[in-house]
Amino acid sequence: GSTTLVLGLEDLAYPLAVELCYRVFDDADVLERWARIANTGDTPVVLRQALSANLWMPREPSWRLRYLQGGWGSENQITETVLRPGRFILESRRGTTSHQTSPWFALDRRGEATEEHGDVFSGSLAWSGSWKIVLETTPGGRVHASGGLNDFDAPIVLRPGTDVVLPVMACLYSNGGHGGSSRAWHASQLSHVLSRSARDGRSPSFPGTNGPRRPESARAVSLAVADASTAGDPAGTAQPSYPPLRPVLYNSWEATWFSVDEPGQTRLAELAAEMGVELFVVDDGWFTGRRDDHAALGDWVVDTEKFPDGLAPLVATVKGLGMGFGIWVEPEMTTPDSDLYRAHPDWVLHFANRNRTERRNQLVLNLARDDVAGWVFATLDRLLTEHEIEFVKWDMNRHLSEPGWPAETGHNPERVWLDYTRNLYAVLDGLRAAHPDVDIESCSGGGGRIDLGMLSRTEQVWTSDNTDALDRIAIQEGFSQAWPAQAMMAWVTDSPNPLTRRRLPLSFRFHVAMAGSLGIGGDLAEWSHEERTEARDLVALYKKIRPTVQHGRLYRLASTRQGPLGAVEYLGPGGYDVVVIAFSGPRPLRPWPSRIRLAGLDEAATYRDCDSGAETSGAVLTHLGLELPTALDATSMLVRLERL
Ligand code: DGJ
C-alpha cells in the first residue's frame, strides 16, 4: 500500500493555491513528490517556472554527482563530476526525454560511495517532455537538487479556476552504495511503476500532469490520504508481486529493414518459432508507400503490394506457430510525402514564417492539438481492433525543433511543450484502457524516451539502436543504474554487427542480451543450421533464468569501466536461484582475475552449479569467488547456481 500526504498552501499576496503532495510506500524506499498549482482568482496567472521537488542534501564539504548521458547509439553512459559552487543543469529542451541525458541523478557524499557501500541520494522524474534537474551548490556551500518541467520557452498560463499538476519527482536514499540504490529503484518500478503493476490495481500510473491522482480538496492543514491501493490491505502487508515475465521476442528490423513482405516475414517467423521465440514483431515498412524513410508516415494502412491479403494471413501463421504478433508504429510523425500531410499540412508543429525542418525526412505532428491526439488514438484503436495484435513498438525518431502552433498565436502557444506530453499520455492511457491485453514498448530511435512516465504506461523499452554486444555492456550498465532488467529489451543481432561491423561469437551476443529482456533481431535466414541450433539452446537457457533475471535483485560484480571484466549477478526471489553473467572485450594484456566474488549469498548455505553439479559453500563464493574462464577475445560465461 501507499500513503499520500497533501499539504495545502495559499499565497498570501496572490490568489494562488498550492498542494504539495508526498507519497510513500510500505514496500518501496521511494518517496514521490509532486504539486498542484491552482489559480483561485479571476485574472490569469502566468507560471514562469515551477519545479516538482527540491532536495537539500546534508551539509558536507563536497558531493559527487553521477548522471547518465550519451547520444543516439550510445545512451546512458555513466558520468561523474564533483559539484562546485554554481549550478549544474541536466536537461532536455527537445520536447521529449532525449538520448542525450536521462532524467535521473545520484549524489554521494565526498565521492565516497562504492558499488555496495555508502550513502546515495537519487532522484528520477516521471516526465517524457522537456525536463530539467538543477544541482546547485550555494555560496554557503549547501547542495540541493531540484527537478521538474523545463521552463525554457514554456510559460504556463493558468486561467481563472484552472490548475496544473506538476510531474512526480521520485526520490530515494540508500546506504547500500550505487548497487543498493539501483536495486531499490528496480524493486519500486517492478512493484509500482511498470504498466502491468499499475494495471493490476496496485498503483495508479503517474499523473500526466493533470492526472487522476489529484487530491480532491486542498485545505490549509496537512492531512494523510490513504490511496485506493491500500483498500484491500489496510496494514500494507502484501508481498510485492511483480509484473508477468516478458516473452522472448523476434524483431524484423535488422533482418529486412524496410523490405518487409508476407513471404519474407513468414520465413523469419518459422525460423524464430523453431528457436523458441514467443512474440514475433514486424518492424517499420509494413504500411502503404513505406519503401524507405522518405515517405508514408501517417498513412497507417497495410501495404497490399507487400501483404496482398492484408496482415491477417501473417498473423494467422504467427499464431499457428505458437507466437504472439506485434507491430511497429511511429504515431507522432508524418512525412511531407504522405496522404496525411497532404490533407493536413497544418497538423505539424511549425511556425508560419519559417521552414519546416525535417529530420529523417519527417515532421512532428502537433500532438498538443486535441484533434490530432484524437486522430492518433482513433487510428491506433482501429489498427488494434482490426488485427489480432498483442504488442506495439511505439517509436519516435526525431525531436521537436520548431515548436510552433500558429493557430494559437496570442493564446499561449508555448503550452505545446506541456500539452504535447499530456496528450501523449492521454492517448497511451486511452489505448491501455481500450486494449488492456496489448503490451507496449517505448522506443525513440533506441533509448530516447526512457523515464518513469513512460515506464508507467508500457511494459518495456528499446534500449538502444546500437545492438553491438560489446557496446551494449556499457549502455546496459548505465541503464541498470535507474531501470530494471525486465524493462530492458536486448536483441541478439548479426555478426558482423550492421552498425559497428564488429564480429562477436553468438554465445557472447546472447549472454549480453540475456542480462535483460531477451530478443532476437538478426537475419535468421542467413544464420547457419549450427547457429540456429545454438540459438535455440540459448533461448531455452534464457527461459530457465528469466524469473531470476527479470524479478531478481541485480548485483553489478565488476564493471568494464574499471577493468577488462564486466559481471552481473541476479539473485532470484527468496535467494534460491543465482545467475552470474561475465564478459570481457578484447583479450586483456593486464592480468585477468581468475575468480569473481559473488554477493548477497547465504554464507552458511551450499550452492550447486546447475550444469556441472559442483557444490560450493556460500562463504567460498562470497570470499574466494566463482572461477572464471581464461580471457580470450570476447570471452563470456553464464553460470546458474541453486541454493540447496
Ligand atoms: C528506430 C528504432 O529504434 C529501430 O529499432 C527501428 O524500429 C527503426 N526506428 C525503424 O524505422
Side-chain angles (χ1 to χ4, degrees):
S2 65
T3 305
T4 304
L5 169 72
V6 181
L7 302 179
L9 312 174
E10 278 176 25
D11 195 299
L12 292 177
Y14 299 102
L16 208 56
V18 176
E19 288 173 347
L20 302 180
C21 309
Y22 301 81
R23 183 162 79 142
V24 292
F25 301 87
D26 297 337
D27 59 357
D29 279 342
V30 167
L31 165 70
E32 292 175 356
R33 156 68 187 261
W34 71 101
R36 181 170 85 96
I37 304 177
N39 178 357
T40 55
D42 50 18
T43 51
V45 171
V46 181
L47 287 185
R48 301 236 169 249
Q49 185 183 81
L51 298 178
S52 299
N54 179 39
L55 310 176
W56 285 97
M57 294 297 124
R59 202 177 277 281
E60 285 289 344
S62 73
W63 286 87
R64 178 175 59 180
L65 168 71
R66 176 178 284 196
Y67 62 104
L68 304 171
Q69 60 76 35
W72 177 83
S74 61
E75 296 87 339
N76 290 316
Q77 302 300 305
I78 297 172
T79 307
E80 293 181 335
T81 186
V82 174
L83 293 176
R84 306 272 176 219
R87 307 176 101 205
F88 192 92
I89 296 177
L90 308 173
E91 68 172 355
S92 161
R93 295 192 287 178
R94 295 164 182 261
T96 180
T97 320
S98 94
H99 299 81
Q100 283 68 23
T101 320
S102 286
W104 173 92
F105 69 92
L107 290 165
D108 71 296
R109 301 166 190 271
R110 297 186 294 265
E112 283 176 358
T114 61
E115 181 61 23
E116 293 297 335
H117 297 283
D119 289 341
V120 174
F121 297 78
S122 185
S124 197
L125 279 172
W127 187 244
S128 313
S130 294
W131 58 271
K132 171 162 142 174
I133 294 173
V134 182
L135 293 309
E136 179 169 33
T137 308
T138 68
R142 291 295 303 275
V143 166
H144 64 124
S146 43
L149 300 174
N150 200 314
D151 50 298
F152 173 74
D153 183 39
I156 299 169
V157 177
L158 289 181
R159 285 185 302 282
T162 63
D163 63 14
V164 62
V165 178
L166 305 178
V168 166
M169 176 145 136
C171 314
L172 189 146
Y173 160 77
S174 169
N175 62 3
H178 289 287
S181 178
S182 298
R183 286 188 290 280
W185 279 125
H186 301 166
S188 89
Q189 288 160 34
L190 288 172
S191 301
H192 299 289
V193 177
L194 276 167
S195 173
R196 292 280 165 207
S197 319
R199 241 177 307 159
D200 292 349
R202 286 191 299 280
S203 173
S205 62
F206 290 116
T209 67
N210 287 5
R213 213 167 58 199
R214 184 170 79 198
E216 285 310 315
S217 65
R219 287 193 249 134
V221 293
S222 64
L223 64 160
V225 184
D227 277 350
S229 50
T230 45
D233 175 38
T237 52
Q239 291 299 308
S241 96
Y242 288 165
L245 300 173
R246 301 300 309 144
V248 176
L249 74 68
Y250 177 81
N251 180 293
S252 64
W253 177 239
E254 289 192 17
T256 51
W257 307 103
F258 295 96
S259 305
V260 300
D261 59 19
E262 192 180 316
Q265 296 294 302
T266 301
R267 180 71 190 127
L268 288 169
E270 288 163 353
L271 294 170
E274 280 172 21
M275 286 180 187
V277 166
E278 297 158 316
L279 175 65
F280 183 83
V281 184
V282 177
D283 209 280
D284 200 349
W286 57 268
F287 45 102
T288 307
R290 188 69 168 170
R291 280 175 295 281
D292 53 33
D293 62 12
H294 282 79
L297 287 177
D299 299 346
W300 301 107
V301 176
V302 182
D303 187 333
T304 47
E305 280 179 27
K306 295 173 173 178
F307 299 92
D309 299 309
L311 286 178
L314 177 63
V315 174
T317 303
V318 166
K319 292 196 184 284
L321 290 165
M323 298 182 289
F325 182 81
I327 202 154
W328 175 96
V329 288
E330 192 177 3
E332 299 153 75
M333 300 290 158
T334 188
T335 38
D337 183 3
S338 69
D339 291 343
L340 178 72
Y341 186 73
R342 282 183 282 274
H344 298 287
D346 54 325
W347 275 15
V348 299
L349 290 169
H350 68 285
F351 290 112
N353 53 354
R354 299 278 183 199
N355 288 340
R356 302 177 180 200
T357 306
E358 293 171 26
R359 179 87 185 138
R360 208 194 189 205
N361 312 302
Q362 61 197 56
L363 297 165
V364 186
L365 290 174
N366 184 354
L367 206 63
R369 288 173 56 139
D370 289 341
D371 55 350
V372 173
W375 175 85
V376 170
F377 174 81
T379 305
L380 293 175
D381 182 46
R382 194 176 331 110
L383 184 71
L384 297 179
T385 304
E386 289 176 356
H387 302 93
E388 284 185 75
I389 292 171
E390 275 131 324
F391 175 92
V392 169
K393 175 178 173 182
W394 183 304
D395 204 350
M396 185 205 196
N397 280 298
R398 63 161 290 180
H399 298 146
L400 282 51
S401 51
E402 292 93 355
W405 190 350
E408 290 294 297
T409 305
H411 298 97
N412 185 214
E414 300 90 348
R415 70 187 154 84
V416 69
W417 296 111
L418 182 64
D419 285 355
Y420 185 102
T421 303
R422 266 182 181 164
N423 276 353
L424 169 70
Y425 287 170
V427 171
L428 282 163
D429 292 344
L431 289 171
R432 309 238 57 144
H435 305 276
D437 296 329
V438 175
D439 288 347
I440 301 180
E441 175 177 275
S442 171
C443 170
S444 178
R449 195 154 61 185
I450 304 174
D451 58 76
L452 293 177
M454 282 314 265
L455 285 176
S456 74
R457 293 172 170 85
T458 57
E459 276 65 40
Q460 61 189 48
V461 296
W462 180 222
T463 312
S464 176
D465 274 347
N466 184 345
T467 60
D468 179 310
L470 213 48
D471 288 350
R472 270 296 177 104
I473 292 171
I475 294 171
Q476 294 185 179
E477 186 185 350
F479 183 104
S480 76
Q481 303 294 308
W483 327 113
Q486 170 165 118
M488 186 176 76
M489 181 35 58
W491 302 344
V492 176
T493 57
D494 293 341
S495 178
N497 182 275
L499 184 72
T500 63
R501 310 309 299 161
R502 189 180 277 141
R503 290 176 192 276
L504 291 165
L506 189 68
S507 56
F508 186 94
R509 284 175 272 149
F510 260 95
H511 287 159
V512 172
M514 286 158 85
S517 194
L518 178 66
I520 298 177
D523 187 357
L524 303 184
E526 294 296 316
W527 289 18
S528 68
H529 178 71
E530 290 70 30
E531 285 173 315
R532 294 204 303 268
T533 307
E534 187 182 353
R536 189 196 60 204
D537 293 345
L538 286 160
V539 169
L541 174 61
Y542 181 73
K543 289 177 183 170
K544 288 187 190 152
I545 65 168
R546 173 163 54 182
T548 312
V549 171
Q550 294 193 12
H551 286 171
R553 294 197 291 149
L554 168 70
Y555 292 88
R556 291 179 293 251
L557 303 178
S559 168
T560 51
R561 291 181 302 129
Q562 276 136 15
L565 175 71
V568 286
E569 172 192 327
Y570 299 87
L571 194 57
Y576 290 96
D577 298 301
V578 186
V579 173
V580 179
I581 307 176
F583 22 69
S584 72
R587 183 183 159 275
L589 280 176
R590 286 179 281 170
W592 170 255
S594 59
R595 287 176 179 268
I596 180 82
R597 288 190 286 171
L598 305 194
L601 302 189
D602 177 353
E603 293 190 21
T606 300
Y607 292 81
R608 180 167 54 203
D609 185 308
C610 299
D611 296 308
S612 71
E615 293 182 8
T616 315
S617 81
V620 166
L621 292 168
T622 302
H623 297 289
L624 185 62
L626 189 71
E627 205 169 329
L628 290 167
T630 305
L632 305 172
D633 272 347
T635 301
S636 67
M637 155 186 117
L638 190 152
V639 172
R640 284 185 305 140
L641 304 170
E642 59 182 357
R643 192 175 85 191
L644 297 181

